[in-house]
Amino acid sequence: ETGVTQTPRHLVMGMTNKKSLKCEQHLGHNAMYWYKQSAKKPLELMFVYSLEERVENNSVPSRFSPECPNSSHLFLHLHTLQPEDSALYLCASSQELLAGAYEQYFGPGTRLTVT
Amino acid sequence: EDQVTQSPEALRLQEGESSSLNCSYTVSGLRGLFWYRQDPGKGPEFLFTLYSAGEEKEKERLKATLTKKESFLHITAPKPEDSATYLCAVQARVDYKLSFGAGTTVTVRA
């Protein structure tokens, strides 16, 4: 595996379900991110981790719960979601957080549909 | 607050018809401006980083330029495989976050 991988690629869940999204980066990066992408809207930053510590929680509802067990893996735990949470969820990683303008590399995303 | 505005929202081109995409930005001290390409149902793919006004970078038929207020992505003699949504993002000097524009969707007809 190379780059940033995400599983599952597609997920349909009911409003009462609990599910998790998984992200793995194979780039040796120290920072990882979760974004939400809705149609016709800019990417919205949700969470940022640097060296496994959460440094950003961008006013995200508590029904989204991130977890970063090590610098290569990132999870997004989902529970009691709303239909408006349906979107493409993207994971990204970058070499560092603040030391220089490091580009972020994105995974293919998980297309989430909440019914 | 950092702001990024991309125009036009959509662009339809004939194969070989060169054109430019615009990214206007306001940021309190620019650390870097990034261009990404995104195909439908996929994650954004990194293209370029520009750091200071006057800088230019090229990759195949794409050329990105930067001024103090905007960046242009020039597509020279596009091919159908250049069809995608192109995203612009800025990073402020004092921050780690990227502020993204809504993107320009380019469709190139053969």
Side-chain angles (χ1 to χ4, degrees), chain B residues 1-93:
Chain B
E1 183 178 326
D2 303 336
Q3 286 196 325
V4 180
T5 304
Q6 292 188 246
S7 61
E9 183 175 326
L11 187 61
R12 295 177 63 87
L13 300 172
Q14 199 67 33
E15 184 173 4
E17 178 189 1
S18 301
S19 188
S20 296
L21 285 54
N22 178 264
C23 172
S24 297
Y25 66 91
T26 55
V27 65
S28 53
L30 182 69
R31 183 192 294 270
L33 183 143
F34 304 86
W35 282 99
Y36 288 85
R37 169 195 169 121
Q38 186 173 22
D39 293 304
K42 296 187 177 181
E45 174 190 349
F46 170 72
L47 293 174
F48 305 108
T49 307
L50 301 168
Y51 298 98
S52 58
E55 189 174 3
E56 299 181 351
K57 288 194 175 174
E58 288 187 68
K59 180 180 181 179
E60 296 181 358
R61 295 175 293 282
L62 301 178
K63 179 180 178 180
T65 62
L66 182 64
T67 73
K68 289 188 176 180
K69 293 184 178 181
E70 56 193 351
S71 178
F72 293 93
L73 184 66
H74 309 277
I75 309 178
T76 302
K79 298 182 177 182
E81 53 262 42
D82 295 321
S83 298
T85 296
Y86 291 87
L87 304 175
C88 173
V90 297
Q91 184 180 27
R93 196 176 306 279

Side-chain angles (χ1 to χ4, degrees), chain A residues 1 13 15 25 40 45 49 53 58 66 70-71 73-74 94 103 113:
Chain A
E1 294 278 16
M13 59 186 289
M15 293 168 62
Q25 60 96 359
K40 305 289 187 183
L45 180 65
Y49 278 83
E53 284 196 28
N58 203 22
N70 55 62
S71 59
H73 293 86
L74 187 64
S94 67
E103 55 272 11
T113 303

